[in-house]
Structures are given as C-alpha cells and as structure tokens.
C-alpha cells in the first residue's frame, strides 16, 4: 500500500531535503522516525528537493508498506513525538499505487521573505536586507519573467535535468506589512536554485543596479554566469504542492471524519 505524508519543517538545521553524505537531511530524519515507529525499514520520496536552510510550510512525500496503517490522530502524534521539534507531520493518507509525490504534482508555490528591520527571533527565517528597493520596478521584471519559459540562466550549473523549461503561473512582489516584503512564485516545476537566483537578480533591479532590458537579456542568454547572486536560503519557503483532486481525495475524507469527531490530524 502507498501512503502520502503531508509535513512541514524549519530547514535551518538540515542540509536540505534529500539524503546527503555530508550532513543530516529532512528525508533521513523522517525515514528514521517512521522506521522506528513501524518497526520496518521505511524509505520516502519527496515532492521535490529543498536546499540546505530552506523551509517548507507544506511538503509531501510517499512511502510503501505491506499492511494498512492505523491512521488515527494518536498514531500521527506518536510519530511526531519521535521527530525533532522542527519537523511536523500533519497527516498521512492512502493513495493509489501509481500516485507519486514528485511526478503526480502539477504545481509548486514558493515564497521568499525579506525584512528591513533586524529581528532576533527571525534571523534564520527571513533575509534581513536593508537597502531601499523599487518594488514597482521589480514587479515589472516579474511581468517580463512570465513571458518566458526557459530559465537556464537561473539554474545551478550542475543541475541534472533534460530541459530548463518551466510554466510560470504567477510571480510578484508584495508588502505584507511595512517591514516584510514577500516574493510569490508558482510554477509546474522549478530548477535547482531557481527561486533564490531570481530573487537575487531582482534585488539588483530593485536597487537600480540592473535595467529591465538587462534582465531580459539575462533570461535570453540561458547562461547562469550572467545572472545575479542567489539570495540566502533562510528566506525561502515551499508553501504549497498542487495535485489532481483524485490524489488528495482520501486526505479530504479523513479531514471531514476528524472534524465530525472533533479531532485534528495536525502534529
């Protein structure tokens, strides 16, 4: 049987999502907790890889087991007690044998958070960036970005992919309050390091160090060396993974049942 896990994590202490030879990853930590709780080796496949220090408000992964799991609130609570405090499982639900956390996903939505004022409690969760930014000009750059589909210039050079095309659904900057500026971007897929490099390049535009014509030339060049520096990982969040309704139908059923019984599936 195949199950999906919906989880969130603070990525500060981890070398990204994927198993790494040189550090602890979210994937390895999650697998260890599931293995301990179920008493059998468990291997998970995530919807995508987040880099070291990147956070996820919503991430999905799948794993396979031979026997049905007791999907009660107490069962999920018991796994969350094994996990460290910076990883939380929200729900586990059954899916079809061919449903895949990565390949069944139809969209990913990221946010990048920038604060102008230093905050001792947000150091690892936002990028403290003091210079004045022309947000209107940065949003004009977003409109240019949406006119293109090849984003090789914003991908890490060692990216192991067959193509660099992505379909952008939206991209824009917005002040959530006087202090916090947030970049929103959603696409069917993202390249390795793509969002952080776009943010870093747009910060150059916002400071008046790069024109909109130069920005479009960078996109057309399809060359990572001409784009700006990647923004730090601590401001980046994976917000939402989109799936066809049929993949998530059992998750919806479980939520309704739990609501009727006054329970919660959250960790």
């Amino acid at each position: 049987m195949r199950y999906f896990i919906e989880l969130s994590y603070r990525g500060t202490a981890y070398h990204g999502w994927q198993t790494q030879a040189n550090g602890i990853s979210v994937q390895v930590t999650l697998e260890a907790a599931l293995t301990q709780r179920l008493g059998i080796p468990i291997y998970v496949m995530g919807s995508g890889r987040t880099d070291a220090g990147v956070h996820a408000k919503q991430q999905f992964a799948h794993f396979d087991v031979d026997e049905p799991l007791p999907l009660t609130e107490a069962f999920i609570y018991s796994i969350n007690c094994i996990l460290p405090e910076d990883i939380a499982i929200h729900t586990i639900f059954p899916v079809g044998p061919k449903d895949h956390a990565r390949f069944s996903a139809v969209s990913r939505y990221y946010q990048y958070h920038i604060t102008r004022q230093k905050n001792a409690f947000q150091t690892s969760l936002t990028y403290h960036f003091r210079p004045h930014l022309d947000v209107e000009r940065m949003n004009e750059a977003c409109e240019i970005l949406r006119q293109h589909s090849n984003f090789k210039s914003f991908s890490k050079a060692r990216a192991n992919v067959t193509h660099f095309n992505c379909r952008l659904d939206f991209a824009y900057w917005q002040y959530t309050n006087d202090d916090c500026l947030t970049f929103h971007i959603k696409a069917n897929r993202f390249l390795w390091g793509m969002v952080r490099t776009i943010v870093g390049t747009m910060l150059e535009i916002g400071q008046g160090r790069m024109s909109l014509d130069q920005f479009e030339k960078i996109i057309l060049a399809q060359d990572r060396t001409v784009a700006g520096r990647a923004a730090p990982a601590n401001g980046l969040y994976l917000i939402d993974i989109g799936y066809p309704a049929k993949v998530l139908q059992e998750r919806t059923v479980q939520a309704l049942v739990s609501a009727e019984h006054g329970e919660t599936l959250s960790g």
Side-chain angles (χ1 to χ4, degrees):
M1 297 188 65
R2 176 160 292 183
Y3 289 89
F4 264 35
I5 307 172
E6 181 184 2
L7 70 151
S8 59
Y9 52 85
R10 187 171 68 244
T12 308
Y14 301 97
H15 287 242
W17 163 266
Q18 190 179 24
T19 301
Q20 303 286 335
N22 62 342
I24 298 174
S25 71
V26 178
Q27 180 183 7
V28 164
T29 306
L30 179 61
E31 288 174 342
L34 290 168
T35 296
Q36 179 179 336
R37 177 62 180 83
L38 298 178
I40 56 174
I42 297 294
Y43 305 97
V44 303
M45 167 62 69
S47 67
R49 306 169 184 174
T50 52
D51 286 344
V54 174
H55 319 290
K57 291 192 175 181
Q58 184 186 67
Q59 170 70 290
F60 283 94
H62 77 250
F63 66 98
D64 299 319
V65 291
D66 294 331
E67 300 294 334
L69 298 177
L71 299 179
T72 63
E73 189 265 344
F75 173 71
I76 294 173
Y77 175 78
S78 68
I79 303 173
N80 275 323
C81 287
I82 299 171
L83 286 165
E85 63 180 12
D86 49 12
I87 301 176
I89 292 177
H90 300 288
T91 184
I92 300 175
F93 58 97
V95 294
K98 294 185 179 180
D99 292 331
H100 196 285
R102 178 182 175 189
F103 297 126
S104 295
V106 295
S107 66
R108 282 90 173 166
Y109 167 32
Y110 281 89
Q111 291 179 1
Y112 193 92
H113 297 277
I114 293 174
T115 52
R116 299 199 67 232
Q117 300 294 328
K118 185 176 181 179
N119 186 323
F121 301 100
Q122 296 289 320
T123 301
S124 62
L125 300 175
T126 60
Y127 178 31
H128 174 221
F129 190 80
R130 184 64 182 170
H132 172 75
L133 295 170
D134 186 338
V135 178
E136 182 176 348
R137 181 60 62 88
M138 292 161 71
N139 274 321
E140 290 178 23
C142 288
E143 291 302 312
I144 294 173
L145 193 73
R146 291 190 59 194
Q147 295 172 16
H148 296 271
S149 58
N150 187 305
F151 299 105
K152 185 176 182 179
S153 290
F154 303 114
S155 174
K156 290 185 179 180
R158 293 175 291 143
N160 183 23
V161 294
T162 57
H163 67 89
F164 296 88
N165 294 326
C166 306
R167 185 205 69 240
L168 291 189
D169 294 332
F170 58 70
Y172 62 93
W173 290 87
Q174 181 182 51
Y175 273 108
T176 53
N177 55 51
D178 291 339
D179 180 54
C180 186
L181 178 63
T182 302
F183 178 56
H184 304 259
I185 186 166
K186 181 180 179 181
N188 65 321
R189 67 191 288 261
F190 285 92
L191 305 169
W192 187 17
M194 176 175 163
V195 179
R196 290 169 56 201
T197 306
I198 289 174
V199 170
T201 305
M202 286 195 177
L203 290 178
E204 295 293 305
I205 295 171
Q207 295 174 85
R209 297 178 177 177
M210 180 185 296
S211 69
L212 295 177
D213 286 342
Q214 288 174 316
F215 180 65
E216 185 155 35
K217 287 178 181 178
I218 286 173
I219 299 172
L220 294 171
Q222 298 181 19
D223 180 358
R224 174 63 185 89
T225 63
V226 300
R229 295 175 58 185
N234 57 301
L236 184 59
Y237 291 76
L238 176 59
I239 298 296
D240 178 79
I241 309 294
Y243 290 98
K246 67 179 184 64
V247 176
L248 300 180
Q249 60 186 358
E250 192 62 32
R251 171 176 175 259
T252 303
V253 170
Q254 286 193 50
L256 291 173
V257 171
S258 295
E260 289 177 0
H261 290 82
E263 297 177 349
T264 177
L265 289 175
S266 297

